[in-house]
Amino acid sequence: WTSTFGSIAPAGIAQDSGSSDRFIVDSGQDRVFRVNPMGALMSSFSTAGAGSTAPSGVTLGPGGADLYLTDKAARRVYQFTRAGASVGSFNTSPFKHKPHGEPQCNTPEGIAYDPTRDHFFIADFQARIFEVTRTGTFVASFSTAPAAPYPTDLAVDPASDRVIVSDSSGSYAEFTRSGEFLLKFPGVPVHVRGTGAEGVSVERQTLQRFLYVPAQNAVLILHPSGSALGQISLEPYGIQSPSGAAWSPADSHLYVVDRGSQRLYAITPGPDGDFGSVDDTSVWMPTTAVGSPSPAGALWDGAGNRIGWVDELSARLYWVTGGFVSLGEVDLSIAGARAPRGVDRDPISGQLFTSDPNAGLIRTDASGNLLAVTSWTDLGILNPGGIGLSPEEGLLLIVDRANQALMEVNLLGYFLAEIQGVAVPDNSHVTWDPNSVFSGYRVVRGLLSELSSGSYGACFWQGAVPPAPAFETPAEGEGWFYLVAGENTTGVGSLGSRSDGTPRPSGSTLPACP
């Protein structure tokens, strides 16, 4: 962690080949830190005196004698001695002797030195690499799109004629030094275990998982496959012990509850889209203001445009707006919760799923009235943490603290339940018992004589609520059969089972419902 030696917004790094020391440039503090391979601070100096207030990249020049820094705000490259004395600078927008029509380098993010050519390669955030002399004279440039649409740093491998470009999407792309694309590969570990994670939330649009890790004071972002997409350090925002985190795509906010400081934070990465930079904003409210002394398990409810969390002491769910205006609370203790660690809400039914280490997985209505409870033993969970609901996948995600793993609980039986109570109360309608987990229904109809051939008829009706009209009279000697299934973001519910117990395949209806 760079915060151990004082860097809260590291933006670039260069290694001294002679001593193996590292030079880290901090964009938030306008400072360069020199540390040994173990991260111990050796020295540091400020770049602001020379005019660099937003340093973004760093490299060592010929013989490792001087440091060269890019600054995306000043649009310049600054030269310093290793001790921090200013030597000079040159403009990147435009470079000297730039050909007419050549794009300007207005957002220099990273810089690397090529000793075989005695040139610099500079990465511009607008998908371009520039090659220039040490005095800033233009040599050549090439586009990095689409392999690296937003490059953030780069390295040069002269022996293999490669420029390796890191991209803000979390990947690397390789090019020849003349700009020919070679390959692209992930820039983050393929899988993580989330050691020390206490809970998870699911962002419904992308299905990305947000794990909060108090031991590292960070949030990990995972792809549904388990691939690591990123990590956000929470220390720069004053957070001490994150006990819940959820992402709101509506306002690009990361909401974090902190058990130690009893606060709810709303953090935005700012215009540049990067967490940890100087344009971030962070505001907070005391959770005690609404009666919550031990907040945990944040959730974002997009339908209600609100942020919520549970409290381990009061056993309640609290709701506030994005602007921290209280929207009330739900008493979960009436359903048996005593020390809830996480909660999430089904956006269609409004039902709540609560993780309580002793009571089990509790399902309630929106008011907290008990609907069902499942023991953790039945789910194979030893020490449950916070939870995240993913209706689109038919899953509940939960952190098992005992084995430090992110577990999946199959909820297809809940999201795609079989419709009950199908009946024909008169000669003009088909009705059934509504189920709040469904946003709509479909009815399949066919002739009784077709059942022996394995056919289940065709799509007859689709709508939001029962009943379905059934005015037609079958031919003499025939009769209609009806099958009803629910629909939601998870998919189409069960059509029930045959008399031998095997499920009726919904794909056997011709024509099928759209």
Side-chain angles (χ1 to χ4, degrees), residues 401-486:
R401 300 182 184 183
N403 56 21
Q404 299 180 338
L406 181 61
M407 311 293 287
E408 295 181 349
V409 176
N410 188 322
L411 289 184
L412 290 178
Y414 165 79
F415 287 113
L416 300 180
E418 181 181 354
I419 295 297
Q420 302 295 317
V422 178
V424 184
D426 52 44
N427 61 0
S428 61
H429 294 90
V430 176
T431 189
W432 55 89
D433 298 336
N435 189 327
S436 61
V437 303
F438 294 119
S439 57
Y441 302 89
R442 59 176 58 183
V443 177
V444 175
R445 188 186 74 173
L447 292 171
L448 291 174
S449 60
E450 297 174 343
L451 284 175
S452 60
S453 65
S455 170
Y456 292 108
C459 184
F460 172 69
W461 176 89
Q462 284 184 283
V465 294
F471 299 104
E472 297 181 54
T473 302
E476 184 176 354
E478 277 285 12
W480 300 120
F481 67 84
Y482 296 92
L483 297 171
V484 185

Side-chain angles (χ1 to χ4, degrees), residues 223-495:
H223 186 272
S225 67
S227 299
L229 298 176
Q231 178 171 298
I232 302 170
S233 174
L234 300 175
E235 187 174 6
Y237 309 105
I239 296 174
Q240 303 170 10
S241 51
S243 51
W247 174 254
S248 164
D251 54 11
S252 298
H253 276 66
L254 179 68
Y255 290 96
V256 181
V257 286
D258 187 317
R259 183 187 295 109
S261 64
Q262 300 175 318
R263 292 175 177 178
L264 168 66
Y265 287 82
I267 306 167
T268 175
D272 67 356
D274 293 328
F275 283 98
S277 53
V278 293
D279 64 349
D280 292 5
T281 62
S282 176
V283 294
W284 57 269
M285 64 162 282
T287 60
T288 52
V290 294
S292 173
S294 185
L299 72 150
W300 170 253
D301 176 21
N305 197 32
R306 57 185 178 172
I307 184 73
W309 70 92
V310 289
D311 191 275
E312 292 191 78
L313 289 179
S314 67
R316 294 175 182 268
L317 165 63
Y318 296 88
W319 291 111
V320 298
T321 68
F324 299 152
V325 176
S326 175
L327 295 174
E329 59 191 61
V330 179
D331 186 358
L332 299 172
S333 66
I334 60 176
R338 294 294 177 265
R341 291 175 172 175
V343 66
D344 209 345
R345 176 182 180 274
D346 176 15
I348 295 179
S349 69
Q351 294 180 14
L352 302 172
F353 289 75
T354 301
S355 166
D356 189 278
N358 296 315
L361 177 63
I362 303 171
R363 180 162 59 90
T364 69
D365 63 16
S367 299
N369 299 305
L370 181 64
L371 297 175
V373 61
T374 307
S375 72
W376 297 118
T377 302
D378 292 343
L379 296 175
I381 307 295
L382 299 176
N383 186 8
I387 59 176
L389 203 62
S390 183
E392 291 77 5
E393 301 171 281
L395 294 175
L396 180 78
L397 284 301
I398 183 165
V399 170
D400 191 335
R401 300 182 184 183
N403 56 21
Q404 299 180 338
L406 181 61
M407 311 293 287
E408 295 181 349
V409 176
N410 188 322
L411 289 184
L412 290 178
Y414 165 79
F415 287 113
L416 300 180
E418 181 181 354
I419 295 297
Q420 302 295 317
V422 178
V424 184
D426 52 44
N427 61 0
S428 61
H429 294 90
V430 176
T431 189
W432 55 89
D433 298 336
N435 189 327
S436 61
V437 303
F438 294 119
S439 57
Y441 302 89
R442 59 176 58 183
V443 177
V444 175
R445 188 186 74 173
L447 292 171
L448 291 174
S449 60
E450 297 174 343
L451 284 175
S452 60
S453 65
S455 170
Y456 292 108
C459 184
F460 172 69
W461 176 89
Q462 284 184 283
V465 294
F471 299 104
E472 297 181 54
T473 302
E476 184 176 354
E478 277 285 12
W480 300 120
F481 67 84
Y482 296 92
L483 297 171
V484 185
E487 299 177 304
N488 54 30
T489 55
T490 310
V492 180
S494 170
L495 286 176

